[in-house]
PDB file of all heavy atoms in Angstrom:
ATOM      1  N   VAL A  69    -118.124   0.108  17.133  1.00 94.00           N
ATOM      2  CA  VAL A  69    -118.037  -0.644  15.876  1.00 94.00           C
ATOM      3  C   VAL A  69    -116.569  -1.000  15.677  1.00 94.00           C
ATOM      4  O   VAL A  69    -115.735  -0.129  15.427  1.00 94.00           O
ATOM      5  CB  VAL A  69    -118.570   0.183  14.692  1.00 94.00           C
ATOM      6  CG1 VAL A  69    -118.517  -0.643  13.407  1.00 94.00           C
ATOM      7  CG2 VAL A  69    -119.990   0.655  14.966  1.00 94.00           C
ATOM      8  N   LEU A  70    -116.254  -2.272  15.807  1.00 94.00           N
ATOM      9  CA  LEU A  70    -114.866  -2.731  15.847  1.00 94.00           C
ATOM     10  C   LEU A  70    -114.486  -3.473  14.574  1.00 94.00           C
ATOM     11  O   LEU A  70    -115.269  -4.284  14.058  1.00 94.00           O
ATOM     12  CB  LEU A  70    -114.660  -3.661  17.043  1.00 94.00           C
ATOM     13  CG  LEU A  70    -115.067  -3.105  18.418  1.00 94.00           C
ATOM     14  CD1 LEU A  70    -114.952  -4.201  19.471  1.00 94.00           C
ATOM     15  CD2 LEU A  70    -114.217  -1.902  18.793  1.00 94.00           C
ATOM     16  N   ASN A  71    -113.273  -3.203  14.088  1.00 94.00           N
ATOM     17  CA  ASN A  71    -112.782  -3.983  12.957  1.00 94.00           C
ATOM     18  C   ASN A  71    -112.310  -5.348  13.453  1.00 94.00           C
ATOM     19  O   ASN A  71    -112.346  -5.636  14.656  1.00 94.00           O
ATOM     20  CB  ASN A  71    -111.683  -3.229  12.201  1.00 94.00           C
ATOM     21  CG  ASN A  71    -110.472  -2.912  13.067  1.00 94.00           C
ATOM     22  OD1 ASN A  71    -110.142  -3.653  13.995  1.00 94.00           O
ATOM     23  ND2 ASN A  71    -109.795  -1.807  12.774  1.00 94.00           N
ATOM     24  N   GLU A  72    -111.842  -6.181  12.542  1.00 94.00           N
ATOM     25  CA  GLU A  72    -111.490  -7.554  12.933  1.00 94.00           C
ATOM     26  C   GLU A  72    -110.372  -7.607  13.970  1.00 94.00           C
ATOM     27  O   GLU A  72    -110.512  -8.310  14.986  1.00 94.00           O
ATOM     28  CB  GLU A  72    -111.116  -8.374  11.693  1.00 94.00           C
ATOM     29  CG  GLU A  72    -110.851  -9.835  12.003  1.00 94.00           C
ATOM     30  CD  GLU A  72    -110.640 -10.682  10.760  1.00 94.00           C
ATOM     31  OE1 GLU A  72    -110.662 -10.113   9.643  1.00 94.00           O
ATOM     32  OE2 GLU A  72    -110.455 -11.903  10.892  1.00 94.00           O
ATOM     33  N   PRO A  73    -109.239  -6.882  13.793  1.00 95.00           N
ATOM     34  CA  PRO A  73    -108.200  -6.938  14.832  1.00 95.00           C
ATOM     35  C   PRO A  73    -108.691  -6.410  16.179  1.00 95.00           C
ATOM     36  O   PRO A  73    -108.328  -6.950  17.231  1.00 95.00           O
ATOM     37  CB  PRO A  73    -107.080  -6.053  14.261  1.00 95.00           C
ATOM     38  CG  PRO A  73    -107.298  -6.047  12.792  1.00 95.00           C
ATOM     39  CD  PRO A  73    -108.777  -6.115  12.613  1.00 95.00           C
ATOM     40  N   GLN A  74    -109.509  -5.355  16.164  1.00 96.00           N
ATOM     41  CA  GLN A  74    -110.018  -4.805  17.423  1.00 96.00           C
ATOM     42  C   GLN A  74    -110.944  -5.796  18.125  1.00 96.00           C
ATOM     43  O   GLN A  74    -110.898  -5.943  19.351  1.00 96.00           O
ATOM     44  CB  GLN A  74    -110.754  -3.492  17.153  1.00 96.00           C
ATOM     45  CG  GLN A  74    -109.835  -2.341  16.769  1.00 96.00           C
ATOM     46  CD  GLN A  74    -110.593  -1.121  16.303  1.00 96.00           C
ATOM     47  OE1 GLN A  74    -111.724  -1.219  15.808  1.00 96.00           O
ATOM     48  NE2 GLN A  74    -109.987   0.051  16.452  1.00 96.00           N
ATOM     49  N   SER A  75    -111.777  -6.474  17.352  1.00 95.00           N
ATOM     50  CA  SER A  75    -112.680  -7.447  17.968  1.00 95.00           C
ATOM     51  C   SER A  75    -111.900  -8.633  18.534  1.00 95.00           C
ATOM     52  O   SER A  75    -112.233  -9.165  19.596  1.00 95.00           O
ATOM     53  CB  SER A  75    -113.715  -7.931  16.944  1.00 95.00           C
ATOM     54  OG  SER A  75    -113.101  -8.673  15.908  1.00 95.00           O
ATOM     55  N   THR A  76    -110.840  -9.032  17.830  1.00 94.00           N
ATOM     56  CA  THR A  76    -109.990 -10.117  18.335  1.00 94.00           C
ATOM     57  C   THR A  76    -109.312  -9.701  19.634  1.00 94.00           C
ATOM     58  O   THR A  76    -109.235 -10.485  20.596  1.00 94.00           O
ATOM     59  CB  THR A  76    -108.930 -10.493  17.285  1.00 94.00           C
ATOM     60  OG1 THR A  76    -109.582 -10.889  16.070  1.00 94.00           O
ATOM     61  CG2 THR A  76    -108.053 -11.637  17.783  1.00 94.00           C
ATOM     62  N   LEU A  77    -108.826  -8.457  19.677  1.00 95.00           N
ATOM     63  CA  LEU A  77    -108.191  -7.946  20.892  1.00 95.00           C
ATOM     64  C   LEU A  77    -109.181  -7.921  22.048  1.00 95.00           C
ATOM     65  O   LEU A  77    -108.847  -8.310  23.178  1.00 95.00           O
ATOM     66  CB  LEU A  77    -107.644  -6.540  20.631  1.00 95.00           C
ATOM     67  CG  LEU A  77    -106.934  -5.857  21.800  1.00 95.00           C
ATOM     68  CD1 LEU A  77    -105.697  -6.643  22.222  1.00 95.00           C
ATOM     69  CD2 LEU A  77    -106.564  -4.416  21.435  1.00 95.00           C
ATOM     70  N   LEU A  78    -110.400  -7.477  21.772  1.00 96.00           N
ATOM     71  CA  LEU A  78    -111.421  -7.435  22.816  1.00 96.00           C
ATOM     72  C   LEU A  78    -111.660  -8.817  23.405  1.00 96.00           C
ATOM     73  O   LEU A  78    -111.761  -8.981  24.626  1.00 96.00           O
ATOM     74  CB  LEU A  78    -112.721  -6.863  22.245  1.00 96.00           C
ATOM     75  CG  LEU A  78    -113.933  -6.853  23.179  1.00 96.00           C
ATOM     76  CD1 LEU A  78    -113.649  -6.045  24.442  1.00 96.00           C
ATOM     77  CD2 LEU A  78    -115.159  -6.301  22.449  1.00 96.00           C
ATOM     78  N   MET A  79    -111.725  -9.826  22.540  1.00 95.00           N
ATOM     79  CA  MET A  79    -111.977 -11.179  23.025  1.00 95.00           C
ATOM     80  C   MET A  79    -110.823 -11.693  23.885  1.00 95.00           C
ATOM     81  O   MET A  79    -111.030 -12.476  24.809  1.00 95.00           O
ATOM     82  CB  MET A  79    -112.214 -12.129  21.842  1.00 95.00           C
ATOM     83  CG  MET A  79    -113.433 -11.801  20.985  1.00 95.00           C
ATOM     84  SD  MET A  79    -114.990 -11.741  21.895  1.00 95.00           S
ATOM     85  CE  MET A  79    -115.113 -13.418  22.495  1.00 95.00           C
ATOM     86  N   THR A  80    -109.592 -11.233  23.605  1.00 94.00           N
ATOM     87  CA  THR A  80    -108.454 -11.690  24.422  1.00 94.00           C
ATOM     88  C   THR A  80    -108.505 -11.104  25.829  1.00 94.00           C
ATOM     89  O   THR A  80    -107.909 -11.664  26.758  1.00 94.00           O
ATOM     90  CB  THR A  80    -107.108 -11.306  23.769  1.00 94.00           C
ATOM     91  OG1 THR A  80    -106.984  -9.882  23.737  1.00 94.00           O
ATOM     92  CG2 THR A  80    -107.004 -11.866  22.369  1.00 94.00           C
ATOM     93  N   PHE A  81    -109.198  -9.976  25.993  1.00 94.00           N
ATOM     94  CA  PHE A  81    -109.311  -9.358  27.312  1.00 94.00           C
ATOM     95  C   PHE A  81    -110.376 -10.032  28.173  1.00 94.00           C
ATOM     96  O   PHE A  81    -110.479  -9.749  29.369  1.00 94.00           O
ATOM     97  CB  PHE A  81    -109.642  -7.863  27.178  1.00 94.00           C
ATOM     98  CG  PHE A  81    -108.511  -7.025  26.647  1.00 94.00           C
ATOM     99  CD1 PHE A  81    -108.760  -5.933  25.829  1.00 94.00           C
ATOM    100  CD2 PHE A  81    -107.196  -7.322  26.972  1.00 94.00           C
ATOM    101  CE1 PHE A  81    -107.726  -5.151  25.345  1.00 94.00           C
ATOM    102  CE2 PHE A  81    -106.148  -6.545  26.495  1.00 94.00           C
ATOM    103  CZ  PHE A  81    -106.413  -5.458  25.672  1.00 94.00           C
ATOM    104  N   MET A  82    -111.177 -10.903  27.579  1.00 93.00           N
ATOM    105  CA  MET A  82    -112.264 -11.543  28.317  1.00 93.00           C
ATOM    106  C   MET A  82    -111.807 -12.861  28.929  1.00 93.00           C
ATOM    107  O   MET A  82    -110.928 -13.544  28.399  1.00 93.00           O
ATOM    108  CB  MET A  82    -113.459 -11.794  27.388  1.00 93.00           C
ATOM    109  CG  MET A  82    -114.132 -10.528  26.891  1.00 93.00           C
ATOM    110  SD  MET A  82    -115.612 -10.906  25.916  1.00 93.00           S
ATOM    111  CE  MET A  82    -116.195  -9.254  25.554  1.00 93.00           C
ATOM    112  N   ARG A  83    -112.421 -13.210  30.032  1.00 92.00           N
ATOM    113  CA  ARG A  83    -112.116 -14.479  30.691  1.00 92.00           C
ATOM    114  C   ARG A  83    -112.651 -15.632  29.848  1.00 92.00           C
ATOM    115  O   ARG A  83    -113.764 -15.575  29.322  1.00 92.00           O
ATOM    116  CB  ARG A  83    -112.757 -14.507  32.088  1.00 92.00           C
ATOM    117  CG  ARG A  83    -112.349 -15.702  32.926  1.00 92.00           C
ATOM    118  CD  ARG A  83    -112.728 -15.489  34.386  1.00 92.00           C
ATOM    119  NE  ARG A  83    -114.166 -15.295  34.540  1.00 92.00           N
ATOM    120  CZ  ARG A  83    -115.024 -16.296  34.737  1.00 92.00           C
ATOM    121  NH1 ARG A  83    -114.590 -17.543  34.788  1.00 92.00           N
ATOM    122  NH2 ARG A  83    -116.309 -16.047  34.879  1.00 92.00           N
ATOM    123  N   ASN A  84    -111.862 -16.681  29.718  1.00 91.00           N
ATOM    124  CA  ASN A  84    -112.205 -17.785  28.819  1.00 91.00           C
ATOM    125  C   ASN A  84    -113.229 -18.739  29.429  1.00 91.00           C
ATOM    126  O   ASN A  84    -112.909 -19.861  29.817  1.00 91.00           O
ATOM    127  CB  ASN A  84    -110.949 -18.561  28.418  1.00 91.00           C
ATOM    128  CG  ASN A  84    -110.184 -17.879  27.312  1.00 91.00           C
ATOM    129  OD1 ASN A  84    -110.742 -17.126  26.521  1.00 91.00           O
ATOM    130  ND2 ASN A  84    -108.888 -18.124  27.253  1.00 91.00           N
ATOM    131  N   THR A  85    -114.466 -18.294  29.500  1.00 92.00           N
ATOM    132  CA  THR A  85    -115.542 -19.212  29.857  1.00 92.00           C
ATOM    133  C   THR A  85    -115.856 -20.077  28.643  1.00 92.00           C
ATOM    134  O   THR A  85    -115.403 -19.808  27.525  1.00 92.00           O
ATOM    135  CB  THR A  85    -116.800 -18.439  30.273  1.00 92.00           C
ATOM    136  OG1 THR A  85    -117.272 -17.698  29.130  1.00 92.00           O
ATOM    137  CG2 THR A  85    -116.510 -17.472  31.407  1.00 92.00           C
ATOM    138  N   GLU A  86    -116.649 -21.097  28.843  1.00 91.00           N
ATOM    139  CA  GLU A  86    -117.027 -21.979  27.730  1.00 91.00           C
ATOM    140  C   GLU A  86    -117.740 -21.194  26.635  1.00 91.00           C
ATOM    141  O   GLU A  86    -117.495 -21.388  25.442  1.00 91.00           O
ATOM    142  CB  GLU A  86    -117.923 -23.108  28.250  1.00 91.00           C
ATOM    143  CG  GLU A  86    -118.310 -24.126  27.178  1.00 91.00           C
ATOM    144  CD  GLU A  86    -119.174 -25.246  27.734  1.00 91.00           C
ATOM    145  OE1 GLU A  86    -119.314 -25.323  28.972  1.00 91.00           O
ATOM    146  OE2 GLU A  86    -119.707 -26.034  26.932  1.00 91.00           O
ATOM    147  N   GLN A  87    -118.615 -20.278  27.042  1.00 92.00           N
ATOM    148  CA  GLN A  87    -119.367 -19.493  26.062  1.00 92.00           C
ATOM    149  C   GLN A  87    -118.455 -18.530  25.305  1.00 92.00           C
ATOM    150  O   GLN A  87    -118.593 -18.357  24.092  1.00 92.00           O
ATOM    151  CB  GLN A  87    -120.488 -18.708  26.754  1.00 92.00           C
ATOM    152  CG  GLN A  87    -121.363 -17.913  25.781  1.00 92.00           C
ATOM    153  CD  GLN A  87    -122.597 -17.338  26.441  1.00 92.00           C
ATOM    154  OE1 GLN A  87    -122.940 -17.712  27.555  1.00 92.00           O
ATOM    155  NE2 GLN A  87    -123.279 -16.437  25.761  1.00 92.00           N
ATOM    156  N   VAL A  88    -117.515 -17.915  26.006  1.00 92.00           N
ATOM    157  CA  VAL A  88    -116.600 -16.978  25.356  1.00 92.00           C
ATOM    158  C   VAL A  88    -115.728 -17.701  24.334  1.00 92.00           C
ATOM    159  O   VAL A  88    -115.527 -17.220  23.213  1.00 92.00           O
ATOM    160  CB  VAL A  88    -115.727 -16.251  26.401  1.00 92.00           C
ATOM    161  CG1 VAL A  88    -114.563 -15.527  25.729  1.00 92.00           C
ATOM    162  CG2 VAL A  88    -116.565 -15.255  27.193  1.00 92.00           C
ATOM    163  N   VAL A  89    -115.206 -18.855  24.691  1.00 92.00           N
ATOM    164  CA  VAL A  89    -114.360 -19.618  23.764  1.00 92.00           C
ATOM    165  C   VAL A  89    -115.151 -20.013  22.519  1.00 92.00           C
ATOM    166  O   VAL A  89    -114.669 -19.887  21.385  1.00 92.00           O
ATOM    167  CB  VAL A  89    -113.781 -20.864  24.460  1.00 92.00           C
ATOM    168  CG1 VAL A  89    -113.093 -21.775  23.448  1.00 92.00           C
ATOM    169  CG2 VAL A  89    -112.801 -20.452  25.550  1.00 92.00           C
ATOM    170  N   ALA A  90    -116.387 -20.492  22.719  1.00 91.00           N
ATOM    171  CA  ALA A  90    -117.218 -20.887  21.580  1.00 91.00           C
ATOM    172  C   ALA A  90    -117.509 -19.693  20.682  1.00 91.00           C
ATOM    173  O   ALA A  90    -117.501 -19.800  19.446  1.00 91.00           O
ATOM    174  CB  ALA A  90    -118.521 -21.508  22.075  1.00 91.00           C
ATOM    175  N   PHE A  91    -117.733 -18.529  21.302  1.00 92.00           N
ATOM    176  CA  PHE A  91    -118.035 -17.346  20.499  1.00 92.00           C
ATOM    177  C   PHE A  91    -116.793 -16.840  19.769  1.00 92.00           C
ATOM    178  O   PHE A  91    -116.892 -16.315  18.667  1.00 92.00           O
ATOM    179  CB  PHE A  91    -118.620 -16.236  21.375  1.00 92.00           C
ATOM    180  CG  PHE A  91    -119.058 -15.037  20.582  1.00 92.00           C
ATOM    181  CD1 PHE A  91    -120.198 -15.091  19.791  1.00 92.00           C
ATOM    182  CD2 PHE A  91    -118.322 -13.861  20.604  1.00 92.00           C
ATOM    183  CE1 PHE A  91    -120.598 -13.989  19.040  1.00 92.00           C
ATOM    184  CE2 PHE A  91    -118.714 -12.763  19.862  1.00 92.00           C
ATOM    185  CZ  PHE A  91    -119.855 -12.827  19.078  1.00 92.00           C
ATOM    186  N   LYS A  92    -115.616 -16.988  20.369  1.00 93.00           N
ATOM    187  CA  LYS A  92    -114.374 -16.616  19.678  1.00 93.00           C
ATOM    188  C   LYS A  92    -114.253 -17.366  18.358  1.00 93.00           C
ATOM    189  O   LYS A  92    -113.930 -16.789  17.315  1.00 93.00           O
ATOM    190  CB  LYS A  92    -113.155 -16.936  20.548  1.00 93.00           C
ATOM    191  CG  LYS A  92    -112.883 -15.962  21.675  1.00 93.00           C
ATOM    192  CD  LYS A  92    -111.631 -16.392  22.441  1.00 93.00           C
ATOM    193  CE  LYS A  92    -111.341 -15.453  23.600  1.00 93.00           C
ATOM    194  NZ  LYS A  92    -110.134 -15.866  24.360  1.00 93.00           N
ATOM    195  N   VAL A  93    -114.503 -18.661  18.413  1.00 92.00           N
ATOM    196  CA  VAL A  93    -114.420 -19.488  17.208  1.00 92.00           C
ATOM    197  C   VAL A  93    -115.450 -19.030  16.176  1.00 92.00           C
ATOM    198  O   VAL A  93    -115.150 -18.893  14.982  1.00 92.00           O
ATOM    199  CB  VAL A  93    -114.633 -20.976  17.557  1.00 92.00           C
ATOM    200  CG1 VAL A  93    -114.681 -21.829  16.290  1.00 92.00           C
ATOM    201  CG2 VAL A  93    -113.533 -21.466  18.487  1.00 92.00           C
ATOM    202  N   ALA A  94    -116.678 -18.776  16.641  1.00 90.00           N
ATOM    203  CA  ALA A  94    -117.743 -18.339  15.732  1.00 90.00           C
ATOM    204  C   ALA A  94    -117.409 -16.992  15.104  1.00 90.00           C
ATOM    205  O   ALA A  94    -117.697 -16.755  13.925  1.00 90.00           O
ATOM    206  CB  ALA A  94    -119.068 -18.258  16.486  1.00 90.00           C
ATOM    207  N   LEU A  95    -116.779 -16.101  15.867  1.00 93.00           N
ATOM    208  CA  LEU A  95    -116.445 -14.771  15.369  1.00 93.00           C
ATOM    209  C   LEU A  95    -115.367 -14.839  14.291  1.00 93.00           C
ATOM    210  O   LEU A  95    -115.473 -14.198  13.239  1.00 93.00           O
ATOM    211  CB  LEU A  95    -115.979 -13.887  16.527  1.00 93.00           C
ATOM    212  CG  LEU A  95    -115.695 -12.419  16.202  1.00 93.00           C
ATOM    213  CD1 LEU A  95    -116.953 -11.726  15.708  1.00 93.00           C
ATOM    214  CD2 LEU A  95    -115.139 -11.699  17.432  1.00 93.00           C
ATOM    215  N   VAL A  96    -114.336 -15.635  14.547  1.00 92.00           N
ATOM    216  CA  VAL A  96    -113.269 -15.803  13.548  1.00 92.00           C
ATOM    217  C   VAL A  96    -113.840 -16.387  12.260  1.00 92.00           C
ATOM    218  O   VAL A  96    -113.530 -15.939  11.150  1.00 92.00           O
ATOM    219  CB  VAL A  96    -112.150 -16.712  14.099  1.00 92.00           C
ATOM    220  CG1 VAL A  96    -111.160 -17.078  12.999  1.00 92.00           C
ATOM    221  CG2 VAL A  96    -111.424 -16.023  15.244  1.00 92.00           C
ATOM    222  N   LYS A  97    -114.702 -17.390  12.405  1.00 90.00           N
ATOM    223  CA  LYS A  97    -115.307 -18.030  11.239  1.00 90.00           C
ATOM    224  C   LYS A  97    -116.192 -17.054  10.466  1.00 90.00           C
ATOM    225  O   LYS A  97    -116.182 -17.022   9.233  1.00 90.00           O
ATOM    226  CB  LYS A  97    -116.129 -19.246  11.681  1.00 90.00           C
ATOM    227  CG  LYS A  97    -116.725 -20.046  10.527  1.00 90.00           C
ATOM    228  CD  LYS A  97    -117.575 -21.196  11.035  1.00 90.00           C
ATOM    229  CE  LYS A  97    -116.748 -22.221  11.758  1.00 90.00           C
ATOM    230  NZ  LYS A  97    -117.561 -23.416  12.129  1.00 90.00           N
ATOM    231  N   ALA A  98    -116.942 -16.227  11.193  1.00 88.00           N
ATOM    232  CA  ALA A  98    -117.854 -15.281  10.543  1.00 88.00           C
ATOM    233  C   ALA A  98    -117.086 -14.236   9.736  1.00 88.00           C
ATOM    234  O   ALA A  98    -117.475 -13.892   8.614  1.00 88.00           O
ATOM    235  CB  ALA A  98    -118.729 -14.601  11.594  1.00 88.00           C
ATOM    236  N   PHE A  99    -115.994 -13.719  10.293  1.00 90.00           N
ATOM    237  CA  PHE A  99    -115.172 -12.756   9.553  1.00 90.00           C
ATOM    238  C   PHE A  99    -114.597 -13.407   8.295  1.00 90.00           C
ATOM    239  O   PHE A  99    -114.586 -12.812   7.215  1.00 90.00           O
ATOM    240  CB  PHE A  99    -114.036 -12.228  10.433  1.00 90.00           C
ATOM    241  CG  PHE A  99    -114.363 -10.955  11.158  1.00 90.00           C
ATOM    242  CD1 PHE A  99    -114.531 -10.946  12.534  1.00 90.00           C
ATOM    243  CD2 PHE A  99    -114.497  -9.755  10.475  1.00 90.00           C
ATOM    244  CE1 PHE A  99    -114.828  -9.768  13.214  1.00 90.00           C
ATOM    245  CE2 PHE A  99    -114.793  -8.572  11.141  1.00 90.00           C
ATOM    246  CZ  PHE A  99    -114.956  -8.579  12.517  1.00 90.00           C
TER     247      PHE A  99
END
Side-chain angles (χ1 to χ4, degrees):
V69 182
L70 306 173
N71 60 31
E72 185 173 2
Q74 289 171 334
S75 66
T76 302
L77 180 62
L78 175 59
M79 298 303 298
T80 65
F81 289 146
M82 293 185 178
R83 188 166 60 90
N84 279 334
T85 64
E86 183 179 351
Q87 183 170 347
V88 167
V89 171
F91 185 73
K92 283 181 181 179
V93 175
L95 185 62
V96 171
K97 184 183 294 186
F99 267 110

